[in-house]
């Protein structure tokens, strides 16, 4: 009885048997016409990959596919347009620098008119400079987004 039970127990598969089982499964899938003949095992990995990794299926046309101009979908990356948008956004950094210059010029004029308000004027100047620096940082971040976006 012990030998009969041992004979019925599943034996561990060798690598060649596992490879043959995979090949038979692939042949059955092909026979069911679920996968074309040219499909390789790498194609099976792509078939079961995450949706973000899969290539888009172009079976149906999008309703906006016939549009041109602003409604047309982008098909390629226009690097020149993103560089131009980044350069236009960086002009605002020059505006921030001009604002800081005017802020300190007003500080000097205010100190010349009323020297007793020196500490208060300097405090207000530093608060204004903080706002201008924050604006410059936001502009630089938006320019980076414009440069590296599609």
């Amino acid at each position: 009885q012990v030998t009969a039970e041992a004979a019925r127990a599943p034996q561990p598969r060798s690598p060649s048997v596992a490879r043959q089982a995979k090949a038979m499964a692939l042949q059955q899938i092909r026979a069911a016409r679920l996968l074309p003949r040219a499909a390789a095992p790498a194609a099976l990995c792509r078939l079961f990959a995450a949706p973000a990794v899969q290539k888009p299926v172009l079976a149906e046309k999008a309703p906006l596919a016939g549009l041109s101009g602003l409604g047309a979908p982008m098909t390629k990356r226009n690097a020149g347009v993103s560089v131009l948008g980044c350069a236009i956004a960086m002009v605002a950094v020059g505006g921030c620098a001009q604002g800081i210059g005017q802020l300190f010029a007003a500080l000097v004029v205010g100190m010349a008119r009323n020297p007793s308000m020196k500490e208060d004027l300097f405090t207000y100047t530093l608060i204004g400079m903080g706002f201008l620096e924050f604006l410059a940082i936001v502009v630089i971040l938006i320019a980076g987004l414009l440069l590296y976006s599609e």
Side-chain angles (χ1 to χ4, degrees):
Q1 280 184 344
V2 175
T3 56
E5 287 178 13
R8 284 189 218 141
Q11 298 295 324
R13 291 185 177 182
S14 65
S16 62
V17 174
R19 207 174 303 128
Q20 287 174 352
K22 286 181 187 178
M24 286 177 52
L26 189 60
Q27 286 175 354
Q28 289 174 352
I29 291 173
R30 284 182 183 153
R33 295 182 186 244
L34 295 175
L35 200 62
R37 284 236 179 248
L44 276 177
C45 293
R46 270 187 259 121
L47 181 69
F48 297 113
V53 178
Q54 292 179 357
K55 292 183 180 176
V57 179
L58 301 175
E60 298 178 9
K61 274 192 156 185
L64 299 176
L67 295 177
S68 62
L70 291 177
M74 288 185 63
T75 56
K76 64 178 183 173
R77 185 176 191 275
N78 298 317
V81 175
S82 63
V83 170
L84 186 63
C86 176
I88 291 171
M90 289 300 286
V91 171
V93 175
C96 291
Q98 182 183 5
I100 290 174
Q102 286 182 352
L103 192 66
F104 279 100
L107 173 68
V108 170
V109 169
M111 283 185 193
R113 287 185 178 203
N114 193 354
S116 64
M117 293 280 296
K118 180 178 177 181
E119 292 84 16
D120 292 337
L121 290 175
F122 190 70
T123 303
Y124 298 147
T125 302
L126 289 182
I127 291 171
M129 188 177 160
F131 282 125
L132 285 169
E133 287 293 326
F134 174 73
L135 179 64
I137 291 170
V138 168
V139 165
I140 290 171
L141 290 176
I142 290 174
L145 285 174
L146 287 173
L147 183 62
Y148 293 110
S149 65
E150 276 194 42

